[in-house]
Amino acid sequence: MEPDPNNNNSTNIEAFLHGHQVNLEELEQDGANDVPKKQRKRRRTSKAWGMFTKLPLDAYQDGKERSMCVCGQVYISESNYGTGNMLKHIKKCPKLKKSRDPRQMILDHSGSIGSCSLEFDQVAFRELLSAAIVKHGLPFQFVEFDAIRNCFEFLNSEVQNISRNTAKADILKAYNAERLRIKAMLEEVPGRICFTSDLWTACTTDGYMSLTAHFIDKNWVLQKRLLNFTLMPSPHTGLCLSEKLLSLWTEWGVEKKVFSITLDNASANEACVTMLKSQLKIRKALLSNGDYLHMRCCAHIINLIVQDGLKAIEGELYKIRESVKFVKASQGRKQKFLECVNQMSLDRKKGLRQDVPTRWNSTYIMLDCALYYKSAFFHLALSDSNYKYCPSEDEWNKLERINNFLVLFYEITCIFSGSKYPTSNLYFPKVFAAYVTLREYSENGDGYMKDMGKRMLEKFLKYWSDFCTILTIAVILDPRYKLQFVEWAYKKVYGENSKELKNIREKLFSLFDEYMLISTQSTNTSPMQGSVPHSNENDDRKGRGKLDSCLEEFDNFESMESSCTQKTQLELYLSEPRADRSSHLDILSFWKDNQVRYPELASMARDVLTIPISTVASESAFSVGGRVLDQFRSSLKPETVESIICSRDWIFGQEVNAMVSMDELTTDILEHNN
């Protein structure tokens, strides 16, 4: 194939193409209509057709088929000319060299890879690299791998490769930019902010503190942001913890927006909260004198309660653990156990799982799975003389009864561990059901069940001898329960007209009065609408002002009379019928729809429903931290670790923030048998 001698007309051809918007697919279809039906054109397979555009046959007088490159160069493309010159041109075409950005690569109508002529964006490329490192936990050295650089250069010869230090600097730059955005978001939060915090020890033995903010935005959507994953050097005393938390709150500018902080039951946390409360009181930053600042992690308490109960069946649990370990020990044993499963006509997909002893819910999953394969274990004991840990029939029956008893606590743990929905309104119904169940077993149970119930009830009363006041108020703000449920429950626990119920009523109305007072103060201090009158106008109105002041006493009298006869927002809400308790009500949508009707009560509900009742949100950051700061990257600076983990949370959010599930912790030991 030869370059067309009439190529001087390339400018006119480009104008012609622009005016007619030539479509390759349409041209091929039009050309096909001119060929007799019996003939079929051979498919063009050369790579050149992905880079050249066919021109109309009437573009030149000689009627020969021509194709044009993006640079304007035209070649005759008749079948008997070949594509050699076109392929040579592709290698040296300046515009094609600038159009190999992987984000701009497209498929043409024939299925080949083509490119548009936009220039490569080095800044965007580095931003994408930083995002990939943060999202997938890649090492900074990733950008220096020879194979990776070869891939980048293949996609675009103009790519400028960067070093690991540059990649780290890009991530720190993105972190600082996102930090400013998150800080602005916290300033715009309409209500107060609740926090969760926890401590973690890395593989380097360094201590880290995570601080997570929980709030409901102006659209009544529950939000969660990991604010800090910061180095926390020893000692971890109450004083040091309180100073660290207060400094972090001050850095974010939220020290006057704090409503509560949820912590685990470490002894140092008690002293920490006491010191925080005294500091925040000085700044007049707390509601109700700080009575609701400290929230204990309910999931942690449930774990302590059940762990005490499981001591009553230590022997049986030991046999179950050893049975699972026996099957897991070798591929041959797994295969033999699966044969037993098939012979007993059981579903192998149920899975057999080994627990993590420190997490009782994983123990429940192990026990539940083992009970399903009860007959398979019996069969394994008969067929394999080395298996000596099979529980007896009585022990299996005992485990089955306890498993049925523990299912309630497993469900409570799962509900309390949620972070995508409000949990404060779910506390009281679940904890009340647990208390009633434990009291029934401790009083009316038989043998080991009674012993187990007593153990768990004793631990329950250690932490929840009195139900948490603010979380009891939270269930009152749930239209499915309201005050009637609390009255009914307290009657069953404490009897008629108990002082505990009276205390809840007083705390409820006292908290509402605070929100009414805050609303009144904000209204009084808001700027006047309209322009300020001229001094002469003020003089003209002095007489009228004196007359109006004489009638102010009457206005106040009328206001007091009407307030005595009208119900408050809280009283009006409580007097209305409850919603169906079994309905799947979105409580945030309810208060969003009623915020005009109950403005101050809705503000109170917004803050109370924000309270997280477990530290799962902060603990989830540790699972990410363990992947970022591992034995292969143990020399990362604390500032770099924080920038990676926090940026991951801020940029990708729920996409990557899933907590380590029980399925990951308790892997099915049967799934890798092949």
Side-chain angles (χ1 to χ4, degrees), residues 68-83:
M68 186 176 72
C69 178
V70 293
C71 68
Q73 180 68 46
V74 177
Y75 289 90
I76 297 176
S77 54
E78 295 279 359
S79 60
N80 58 337
Y81 279 79
T83 60

Side-chain angles (χ1 to χ4, degrees), residues 192 238-239 241-247 249 255-256 258-261 263 268-296 469-470 507:
R192 287 185 171 257
L239 176 61
L241 293 175
S242 64
E243 289 178 348
K244 187 69 172 181
L245 285 170
L246 193 59
S247 67
W249 285 341
E255 69 276 9
K256 291 189 177 181
V258 177
F259 187 80
S260 72
I261 180 167
L263 304 167
N269 288 335
E270 291 282 352
C272 169
V273 173
T274 301
M275 296 176 188
L276 279 175
K277 190 182 296 186
S278 63
Q279 289 293 323
L280 293 175
K281 279 182 181 180
I282 296 173
R283 307 184 188 198
K284 298 181 179 179
L286 295 175
L287 288 173
S288 301
N289 205 31
D291 291 344
Y292 311 129
L293 177 62
H294 187 198
M295 181 62 52
R296 295 178 182 272
T469 301
I470 191 63
K507 294 289 186 180

Side-chain angles (χ1 to χ4, degrees), residues 213-381:
H214 305 256
F215 56 92
I216 296 175
D217 62 19
K218 60 182 180 181
N219 297 318
W220 286 86
V221 177
L222 182 63
Q223 301 285 354
K224 173 180 70 71
R225 295 292 186 275
L226 177 65
L227 300 187
N228 294 95
F229 193 89
T230 183
L231 183 69
M232 183 64 205
S234 298
H236 296 165
T237 61
L239 176 61
C240 295
L241 293 175
S242 64
E243 289 178 348
K244 187 69 172 181
L245 285 170
L246 193 59
S247 67
L248 294 177
W249 285 341
T250 305
E251 286 178 12
W252 286 100
V254 295
E255 69 276 9
K256 291 189 177 181
K257 282 192 169 187
V258 177
F259 187 80
S260 72
I261 180 167
T262 305
L263 304 167
D264 63 20
N265 295 296
S267 57
N269 288 335
E270 291 282 352
C272 169
V273 173
T274 301
M275 296 176 188
L276 279 175
K277 190 182 296 186
S278 63
Q279 289 293 323
L280 293 175
K281 279 182 181 180
I282 296 173
R283 307 184 188 198
K284 298 181 179 179
L286 295 175
L287 288 173
S288 301
N289 205 31
D291 291 344
Y292 311 129
L293 177 62
H294 187 198
M295 181 62 52
R296 295 178 182 272
C297 176
C298 296
H300 188 238
I301 293 175
I302 290 290
N303 184 57
L304 295 175
I305 292 171
V306 179
Q307 290 286 10
D308 255 29
L310 291 177
K311 292 177 181 178
I313 55 167
E314 282 181 330
E316 291 80 2
L317 279 180
Y318 172 78
K319 288 187 175 182
I320 294 295
R321 285 196 184 100
E322 292 301 317
S323 296
V324 175
K325 290 178 183 178
F326 179 85
V327 174
K328 182 182 178 181
S330 69
Q331 191 64 35
R333 291 179 179 179
K334 290 181 187 178
Q335 192 61 42
K336 185 175 291 188
F337 182 76
L338 286 172
E339 292 174 1
C340 297
V341 168
N342 293 332
Q343 291 178 11
M344 296 295 103
S345 300
L346 299 173
D347 184 7
R348 59 181 291 176
K349 293 182 180 179
K350 172 73 173 178
L352 187 63
R353 301 178 183 275
Q354 186 173 355
D355 71 333
V356 179
T358 55
R359 297 199 178 193
W360 89 266
N361 42 349
S362 68
T363 303
Y364 169 82
I365 293 174
M366 179 190 70
L367 181 57
D368 188 61
C369 293
L371 285 167
Y372 177 79
Y373 292 114
K374 170 183 171 182
S375 57
F377 278 114
F378 273 131
H379 195 279
L380 181 64

Side-chain angles (χ1 to χ4, degrees), residues 64 317 323 364 374 457 466 485 593:
K64 290 185 178 181
L317 279 180
S323 296
Y364 169 82
K374 170 183 171 182
L457 182 61
D466 294 322
F485 179 76
D593 296 338

Side-chain angles (χ1 to χ4, degrees), residues 56 77 138 172 189 205 222 230 268 387 403 415 433 468 549 597 652:
S77 54
L138 301 173
L172 290 173
V189 172
T205 68
L222 182 63
T230 183
Y387 174 48
N403 185 68
I415 291 172
C468 179
S549 63
R597 196 172 169 212
F652 301 104

Side-chain angles (χ1 to χ4, degrees), residues 43-86:
R43 182 179 179 184
R44 294 177 170 181
T45 58
S46 175
K47 296 180 181 179
W49 302 116
M51 305 297 178
F52 280 76
T53 303
K54 289 178 63 177
L55 301 178
L57 294 175
D58 57 354
Y60 291 88
Q61 294 181 357
D62 59 8
K64 290 185 178 181
E65 181 179 304
R66 288 172 171 80
S67 297
M68 186 176 72
C69 178
V70 293
C71 68
Q73 180 68 46
V74 177
Y75 289 90
I76 297 176
S77 54
E78 295 279 359
S79 60
N80 58 337
Y81 279 79
T83 60
N85 285 337
M86 296 169 67

Side-chain angles (χ1 to χ4, degrees), residues 557-571:
F557 171 77
E558 183 183 20
S559 176
M560 292 175 61
E561 287 292 321
S562 61
S563 64
C564 292
T565 57
Q566 291 181 354
K567 291 183 176 180
T568 64
Q569 296 174 28
L570 178 57
E571 292 170 337

Side-chain angles (χ1 to χ4, degrees), residues 49-160:
W49 302 116
M51 305 297 178
F52 280 76
T53 303
K54 289 178 63 177
L55 301 178
L57 294 175
D58 57 354
Y60 291 88
Q61 294 181 357
D62 59 8
K64 290 185 178 181
E65 181 179 304
R66 288 172 171 80
S67 297
M68 186 176 72
C69 178
V70 293
C71 68
Q73 180 68 46
V74 177
Y75 289 90
I76 297 176
S77 54
E78 295 279 359
S79 60
N80 58 337
Y81 279 79
T83 60
N85 285 337
M86 296 169 67
L87 293 173
K88 291 178 182 177
H89 174 78
I90 290 173
K91 294 181 179 179
K92 61 182 181 180
C93 178
K95 285 197 175 182
L96 288 177
K97 287 184 178 180
K98 294 182 179 180
S99 62
R100 294 174 185 168
D101 184 350
R103 294 171 301 155
Q104 300 163 4
M105 300 185 76
I106 57 175
L107 289 176
D108 64 12
H109 297 291
S110 64
S112 302
I113 294 181
S115 302
C116 55
S117 60
L118 298 178
E119 293 188 1
F120 179 75
D121 190 340
Q122 180 70 23
V123 175
F125 171 71
R126 285 171 58 172
E127 290 176 353
L128 291 173
L129 266 183
S130 299
I133 292 172
V134 168
K135 183 176 182 179
H136 300 293
L138 301 173
F140 294 132
Q141 193 180 6
F142 166 79
V143 299
E144 296 180 348
F145 292 160
D146 292 338
I148 294 298
R149 288 187 168 185
N150 291 338
C151 288
F152 293 156
E153 291 172 0
F154 172 78
L155 294 173
N156 193 294
S157 59
E158 293 188 353
V159 66
Q160 298 176 11

